[in-house]
Amino acid sequence: MASGSYRNGGPKLSAKLDRQHSAVYSTPKASAKSRPPATPATASGLRRSGAGNPASTPAGNKGDAGVPGRVRVAVRLRPRNAEELVADADFADCVELQPELKRLKLRKNNWDSETYEFDEVLTEFASQKRVYEVVAKPVVESVLEGYNGTVMAYGQTGTGKTFTLGMLGEEDSAARGIMVRAMEDILADISADTDSVSVSYLQLYMETVQDLLVPGNDNIAIVEDPKTGDVSLPGATIVEIRDQRSFVELLRLGEAHRFAANTKLNTESSRSHAILMVHVKRSVKGRHDAEPGLPTENGNASRLVSSLRPPIVRKSKLVVVDLAGSERIDKSGSEGHTLEEAKSINLSLSALGKCINALAENSPHVPFRDSKLTRLLRDSFGGTARTSLVVTIGPSPRHRGETASTIMFGQRAMKVENMVKLKEEFDYKSLCRRLDIEIDKLIAANERQQKDFEDEVERIREEAQSRIAEAERNYMNSLENERSKYQKDYMESIKTLEKKWRMNQQISSNDKTTVEHDQCLEKTCNIEGSTASKSEEIAGVRQLLQNERLLQESTEEEVNDLKGQVLHWKNLEAAASAEIIKLRKLQDNEANQKQKLEEEITILKGQLVQLSIETDETRSRFDRGGSGKIVTGLDSLMSQARHSQIRDSGNGPKASIAKLFEQVGLQKILSLLESEDADIRIHAVKVVANLAAEEANQEKIVEAGGLTSLLMLLKSSEDETVHRVAAGAIANLAMNETNQELIMDQGGISLLSMTAADAEDPQTLRMVAGAVANLCGNDKLQTRLRVEGGIKALLGMVRCGHPDVLAQVARGIANFAKCESRASIQGNKVGKSLLIEDGALPWIVKNANNEAAPIRRHIELALCHLAQHEVNAKDMISEGALWELVRISRDCSREDIRTLARRILTSSPTFQSELRRLRIEY
């Protein structure tokens, strides 16, 4: 047999070079056999990824260049099934695998074949574990490092795509597919305390995105960010995963809702593309040293703020896509509805092939918008994700054409280059929670210190006063005792001297009388004797006086000593007073420090408010809601999946708002709407909006004057955030018919119209349009709405062009048209529709076939209601609405709207006449 030829020509590569291809996530060396040689100009610009991990991108650096990485492609051969063993028993397989060289040969006939190279070639004996390790594990590891990743299976129906990706392995653990094994690795690597994993499970069926976890959610809109081009599905159900068992239960639930059919090629042929989205959020530690601290009022980073830097989180997404199999109608035997499904599948796969061809050829235009499948996979091919593709083929020579087409799809995909980017951002919510905790701790510690300081000052003051009082009492007692003692001694001494003096005087008097009667001679002797005696007495008196002086000096010394003690106690008193003054100064200093601390806390609170506002504004760009009721928090999945954890997480924000409502009181919350502080006013109106989302609170809010306050905010405030949140709260209150009349009575439609005319933010316009749309559903308010400019306001908001705003406008027009139709049937309305008189019909016709399903559904319903009234028929024909009614009657996805359109076309004489004139049979 002749040797096989290569698809692109060129000499054979050595087996040594091919064995150097690594199984890790790196770009294999290209062969001249599989790709044409690059010119010097193109070779220099060709982007390839290295074997190592790309450098980390700093948080918040959205403009950083990514790391190039080629799409990796592996081919897997399915073994022959029972039918092929019988039918193809006499024929050889159409492919020959060379796994050691990473090649396969596709036989044209018995003597000619073509050789192709892939990143990995998996034989029919390859285990599920082997397939996961070479195809998906490198992508999962990249996702855990913070990169987006995609794993996709492509091939003919019945070649094992769902077996490769979605097998649960409940009976045989070795048969577990890529989805189950990937989640096992993710849960094993993350931390339950700081990281989180959540999943969405969807299917793309007949060009509609449907939720496999909530079957009622059967028309999810695809939203693209106009700045970054990122694609999101805000209407999809997101479930947080805690363990492997709950994940397997979700997969089983999703597979039960997936469309499948029995064809000639496969008894369980998938009729939709299944898409599993795994969102991984991980905290990054050790990155704060180089980050600047938050500035305080004086420009310096405080120790408190520097220790509370915002944590960094990495958000990545793993997308696992199980494509429906391509098939030929003559081989699959599809007919009826199955045939329509096959056409839709082949069209979406054809659009995917066109996009990959354009990317492989570096075409300036890539038709991503030709199909919802290509829009969803925009990041996987030519985007920022690491992508790994496994193409599945069968061995039967009867299906050689399908096998060749699958192989060529894989070859073209290998030429697609992606720019892989690391996605990091600051976790402001976690920072706010940490700052709240630290502030509470600081306040509590400051209060404890202040209390301890005041207690200590009071204790010292009482002790000093007690000591001073005791010293004064002791001093006075001692002084009084000494004074009494010395005074008593002194008086006794005086009395003794006086007594002695009188005795001496008496003796002297007696002696003198005796001397006068005695003889002179005797007198002389006596005089001499008495003189001697008196001299002795005088000497004794002198001695007593000397003793008295000494006693007086001793007394004065003791008095001086007591005075010194008194002076000492006075000095102690002065020292105690000085200590008290010092303590008072310390108290004043502590008061100043407390004031500074409170100022710092106020600054931190202001920064917290700013961070909260920035977070709300960032989240509002992704917040999508098509109904008239604006609800905060997550919707829960409990009725289908019965997961209590999801139920608890969905009720968290509502429970916190209810708790605030009970603790603070509605009247106090409403009074904050008139605060002069803009931040307080914004937070108050957000709380009122959250309360208004609950029907149980709406009557209380209206009775307390909340509706009047919200309308006054629309009139008086110039803040865009206040307008947006207040309009959302009014939209919630407008769900009640009684509240609708109150809103109209208080001039609400005029205020909403003024707000819409001045607003530029799409979210504000969406809230205003939702409120007006709710008012349009009241039969009693039709004329007043038109007179006060409600219809003009709705049509004026279409200038924004945002899908969410247009959806609310379309809903309002549908509500208005429905009320008019009902009034016409009941005989309460005559004449042409007010919508047509206000010029709404051209816009309705223009958007009747809008790409967004919510807009299209409301417009189709509005057209049907307008057409029910015969007086509107001529205007609708002149504006081209008849053609849209014909299209709706044939192509509308909703059976009830199709039936209504058919009934109108067959029952309206004007429409029938126009159809006959145009020779259109209906």
Side-chain angles (χ1 to χ4, degrees):
M1 186 174 67
S3 61
S5 64
Y6 284 83
R7 180 69 175 171
N8 296 317
K12 208 178 207 181
L13 283 181
S14 66
K16 181 177 180 181
L17 281 176
D18 288 313
R19 291 191 184 96
Q20 293 177 351
H21 290 196
S22 173
V24 298
Y25 208 100
S26 60
T27 304
K29 298 181 180 179
S31 169
K33 307 176 185 64
S34 59
R35 283 199 246 170
T39 63
T42 59
S44 62
L46 190 60
R47 298 172 294 177
R48 300 184 183 278
S49 64
N53 293 327
S56 298
T57 303
N61 250 353
K62 297 182 180 178
D64 289 350
V67 178
R70 178 176 62 78
V71 174
R72 284 178 51 84
V73 182
V75 61
R76 186 182 193 186
L77 177 65
R78 171 184 58 77
R80 288 193 177 193
N81 55 31
E83 179 185 354
E84 293 171 346
L85 289 174
V86 176
D88 300 335
D90 297 332
F91 299 94
D93 293 348
C94 67
V95 293
E96 177 186 348
L97 302 186
Q98 296 176 334
E100 68 280 357
L101 300 178
K102 303 188 189 310
R103 298 174 185 164
L104 68 81
K105 292 184 178 180
L106 178 64
R107 294 190 177 94
K108 291 184 177 180
N109 45 48
N110 291 335
W111 59 87
D112 192 12
S113 63
E114 294 177 344
T115 302
Y116 299 92
E117 288 189 357
F118 288 92
D119 294 300
E120 199 67 46
V121 176
L122 302 167
T123 68
E124 64 270 31
F125 305 108
S127 66
Q128 291 281 74
K129 181 179 180 181
R130 167 70 175 163
V131 173
Y132 170 72
E133 289 179 346
V134 301
V135 174
K137 190 168 184 177
V139 179
V140 174
E141 292 174 349
S142 297
V143 170
L144 290 171
E145 293 172 359
Y147 302 91
N148 288 344
T150 302
V151 179
M152 187 170 67
Y154 177 90
Q156 183 189 8
T157 181
T159 54
K161 298 182 297 300
T162 303
F163 176 83
T164 300
L165 296 180
M167 281 294 291
L168 302 182
E170 294 177 308
E171 298 179 358
D172 181 8
S173 61
R176 303 191 313 279
I178 286 176
M179 291 181 180
V180 177
R181 295 177 184 267
M183 183 56 68
E184 289 175 353
D185 284 355
I186 290 174
L187 292 176
D189 192 75
I190 66 171
S191 170
D193 297 331
T194 58
D195 306 336
S196 65
V197 179
S198 57
V199 301
S200 298
Y201 200 12
L202 313 166
Q203 69 174 353
L204 180 60
Y205 176 70
M206 300 286 286
E207 282 300 301
T208 60
V209 182
Q210 303 178 1
D211 201 326
L212 288 174
L213 302 181
V214 180
N217 192 7
D218 59 356
N219 197 355
I220 301 173
I222 302 175
V223 179
E224 294 184 17
D225 191 319
K227 295 182 180 179
T228 63
D230 293 339
V231 176
S232 62
L233 299 168
T237 302
I238 300 178
V239 181
E240 188 170 356
I241 300 300
R242 294 294 184 182
D243 51 53
Q244 186 70 12
R245 179 180 299 176
S246 62
F247 175 69
V248 174
E249 288 294 329
L250 286 180
L251 288 184
R252 184 185 295 108
L253 176 65
E255 286 299 322
H257 296 146
R258 190 177 177 187
F259 287 97
N262 185 5
T263 67
K264 292 181 180 179
L265 297 178
N266 189 358
T267 59
E268 289 289 335
S269 176
S270 300
R271 313 310 290 169
S272 65
H273 308 299
I275 303 170
L276 176 70
M277 293 184 178
V278 182
H279 303 271
V280 181
K281 180 179 178 182
R282 309 194 69 182
S283 297
V284 181
K285 299 181 179 179
R287 288 283 305 279
H288 298 94
D289 296 338
E291 300 289 342
L294 295 175
T296 57
E297 186 178 9
N298 58 4
N300 297 322
S302 68
R303 290 176 297 175
L304 173 64
V305 177
S306 63
S307 65
L308 294 174
R309 300 184 186 277
I312 299 174
V313 294
R314 288 179 178 174
K315 293 183 178 180
S316 56
K317 178 174 66 175
L318 172 64
V319 181
V320 183
V321 185
D322 180 11
L323 295 174
S326 59
E327 60 184 53
R328 291 185 178 178
I329 307 302
D330 56 344
K331 291 185 178 182
S332 64
S334 300
E335 58 184 11
H337 187 67
T338 308
L339 177 60
E340 296 299 323
E341 292 174 339
K343 289 180 181 179
S344 177
I345 292 171
N346 289 340
L347 283 174
S348 61
L349 293 177
S350 175
L352 178 61
K354 291 179 182 179
C355 291
I356 290 180
N357 287 343
L359 289 169
E361 297 172 0
N362 292 324
S363 173
H365 172 67
V366 182
F368 281 116
R369 302 188 65 84
D370 287 359
S371 170
K372 289 187 177 181
L373 176 63
T374 53
R375 291 178 66 190
L376 289 172
L377 298 179
R378 186 168 188 170
D379 193 48
S380 303
F381 292 98
T384 62
R386 291 191 184 277
T387 302
S388 184
L389 171 67
V390 53
V391 293
T392 58
I393 58 176
S396 175
R398 290 180 296 158
H399 306 305
R400 184 191 179 280
E402 290 83 348
T403 302
S405 175
T406 302
I407 291 173
M408 293 309 301
F409 180 89
Q411 288 288 298
R412 289 190 293 269
M414 290 177 66
K415 299 179 181 180
V416 177
E417 294 276 352
N418 292 350
M419 292 299 295
V420 184
K421 293 183 179 180
L422 183 66
K423 296 185 178 180
E424 292 183 347
E425 62 184 39
F426 292 119
D427 190 357
Y428 289 109
K429 292 183 180 179
S430 175
L431 173 63
C432 291
R433 288 193 297 269
R434 291 171 58 189
L435 285 176
D436 283 336
I437 293 172
E438 289 298 326
I439 288 173
D440 291 339
K441 289 181 179 179
L442 286 173
I443 291 175
N446 180 66
E447 290 178 350
R448 287 194 299 271
Q449 292 177 359
Q450 182 67 21
K451 184 64 168 60
D452 294 341
F453 174 76
E454 292 176 354
D455 292 344
E456 182 67 18
V457 170
E458 186 64 26
R459 185 189 64 79
I460 294 175
R461 182 186 292 110
E462 292 177 355
E463 182 179 353
Q465 290 177 352
S466 176
R467 291 173 61 183
I468 290 171
E470 183 179 359
E472 289 178 349
R473 285 194 304 270
N474 293 336
Y475 167 72
M476 295 302 296
N477 292 335
S478 299
L479 185 61
E480 187 65 28
N481 292 335
E482 290 295 330
R483 183 183 294 118
S484 300
K485 177 182 177 182
Y486 288 116
Q487 187 176 5
K488 183 179 179 181
D489 292 342
Y490 179 75
M491 294 304 295
E492 289 180 353
S493 299
I494 294 299
K495 289 179 179 179
T496 303
L497 290 174
E498 288 179 349
K499 184 178 181 181
K500 288 182 178 181
W501 183 78
R502 283 195 298 269
M503 290 176 63
N504 290 333
Q505 286 291 78
Q506 186 177 1
I507 293 171
S508 298
S509 177
N510 294 332
D511 289 343
K512 185 177 181 180
T513 305
T514 305
V515 168
E516 289 178 354
H517 293 86
D518 287 340
Q519 295 178 358
C520 289
L521 194 26
E522 232 176 37
K523 181 178 180 181
T524 303
C525 293
N526 289 337
I527 289 172
E528 290 178 357
S530 74
T531 301
S533 175
K534 289 180 180 179
S535 297
E536 291 177 359
E537 289 178 2
I538 290 171
V541 171
R542 287 178 178 173
Q543 186 63 37
L544 289 174
L545 290 175
Q546 183 67 26
N547 292 337
E548 185 67 24
R549 276 197 307 270
L550 294 175
L551 183 61
Q552 185 176 359
E553 290 176 356
S554 175
T555 302
E556 290 175 353
E557 289 177 358
E558 290 182 4
V559 169
N560 292 333
D561 188 21
L562 289 174
K563 287 181 179 180
Q565 292 181 8
V566 171
L567 182 60
H568 174 67
W569 286 113
K570 286 184 178 181
N571 292 334
L572 289 178
E573 181 180 3
S577 299
E579 186 175 2
I580 291 174
I581 293 173
K582 182 178 180 182
L583 290 175
R584 286 176 178 172
K585 290 182 179 179
L586 290 175
Q587 184 178 7
D588 294 338
N589 292 335
E590 288 293 334
N592 293 333
Q593 291 179 2
K594 178 183 177 182
Q595 184 178 0
K596 291 180 180 179
L597 185 59
E598 289 176 347
E599 292 175 354
E600 185 174 358
I601 290 172
T602 303
I603 294 170
L604 289 176
K605 286 183 177 178
Q607 293 173 353
L608 278 176
V609 171
Q610 184 64 30
L611 293 176
S612 174
I613 292 172
E614 292 176 357
T615 304
D616 290 343
E617 290 177 353
T618 303
R619 185 173 60 248
S620 67
R621 294 200 301 268
F622 301 97
D623 182 24
R624 299 292 184 265
S627 66
K629 187 170 183 178
I630 313 300
V631 182
T632 60
L634 299 175
D635 293 333
S636 162
L637 178 65
M638 305 2 55
S639 56
Q640 286 82 10
R642 300 187 297 274
H643 294 297
S644 61
Q645 293 176 344
I646 303 172
R647 179 165 61 249
D648 295 339
S649 65
N651 292 334
K654 295 181 181 179
S656 62
I657 293 297
K659 183 177 180 181
L660 177 65
F661 183 27
E662 294 175 359
Q663 293 179 350
V664 177
L666 179 59
Q667 201 62 45
K668 291 185 178 179
I669 295 175
L670 293 178
S671 66
L672 294 178
L673 295 177
E674 302 176 359
S675 173
E676 296 180 357
D677 192 327
D679 293 336
I680 294 177
R681 193 163 56 246
I682 290 173
H683 285 286
V685 74
K686 287 183 179 180
V687 173
V688 174
N690 279 278
L691 291 173
E694 297 293 331
E695 293 183 3
N697 299 330
Q698 291 179 358
E699 183 177 357
K700 299 177 182 178
I701 292 174
V702 174
E703 290 178 354
L707 176 58
T708 303
S709 299
L710 291 171
L711 292 173
M712 287 301 297
L713 279 179
L714 286 183
K715 181 178 181 180
S716 60
S717 177
E718 298 180 358
D719 190 279
E720 187 80 5
T721 302
V722 173
H723 286 174
R724 180 176 68 252
V725 183
I730 294 171
N732 288 337
L733 294 175
M735 296 293 291
N736 183 281
E737 184 174 352
T738 304
N739 296 341
Q740 291 172 356
E741 295 181 2
L742 291 174
I743 292 172
M744 293 297 297
D745 292 340
Q746 298 184 27
I749 192 66
S750 300
L751 293 174
L752 291 171
S753 301
M754 292 170 55
T755 304
D758 297 336
E760 297 294 338
D761 180 29
Q763 295 305 318
T764 303
L765 291 173
R766 179 171 71 90
M767 298 299 182
V768 175
V772 178
N774 290 339
L775 295 174
C776 288
N778 193 320
D779 295 336
K780 304 175 183 177
L781 306 178
Q782 297 288 295
T783 305
R784 291 180 62 186
L785 270 172
R786 191 270 181 105
V787 170
E788 296 183 19
I791 299 176
K792 294 290 187 182
L794 275 178
L795 296 176
M797 283 184 275
V798 302
R799 73 183 188 279
C800 173
H802 196 280
D804 291 341
V805 178
L806 298 182
Q808 294 297 330
V809 173
R811 185 172 68 86
I813 290 175
N815 288 344
F816 198 96
K818 179 174 66 176
C819 292
E820 279 194 331
S821 175
R822 187 160 53 235
S824 298
I825 294 173
Q826 294 174 356
N828 299 328
K829 171 76 169 63
V830 294
K832 191 183 302 183
S833 169
L834 299 179
L835 289 173
I836 296 178
E837 291 182 357
D838 276 2
L841 187 56
W843 184 84
I844 294 175
V845 175
K846 180 180 178 182
N847 289 272
N849 197 19
N850 194 288
E851 185 181 24
I855 302 174
R856 184 174 64 252
R857 182 174 69 253
H858 291 309
I859 293 299
E860 290 173 348
L861 191 59
L863 277 174
C864 290
H865 285 308
L866 289 174
Q868 281 185 302
H869 197 29
E870 187 68 19
V871 73
N872 298 329
K874 291 184 179 180
D875 292 285
M876 295 184 71
I877 291 172
S878 64
E879 292 293 342
L882 177 59
W883 298 106
E884 294 300 332
L885 283 173
V886 173
R887 180 191 62 77
I888 293 170
S889 68
R890 295 174 178 174
D891 301 334
C892 182
S893 59
R894 287 182 52 176
E895 180 66 26
D896 55 340
I897 299 179
R898 281 204 310 272
T899 304
L900 179 60
R902 291 194 194 102
R903 187 171 70 248
I904 293 170
L905 289 173
T906 55
S907 63
S908 171
T910 306
F911 289 150
Q912 283 293 313
S913 174
E914 181 67 14
L915 290 174
R916 286 193 297 271
R917 187 181 70 81
L918 298 174
R919 298 180 181 179
I920 298 175
E921 294 184 1
Y922 197 84

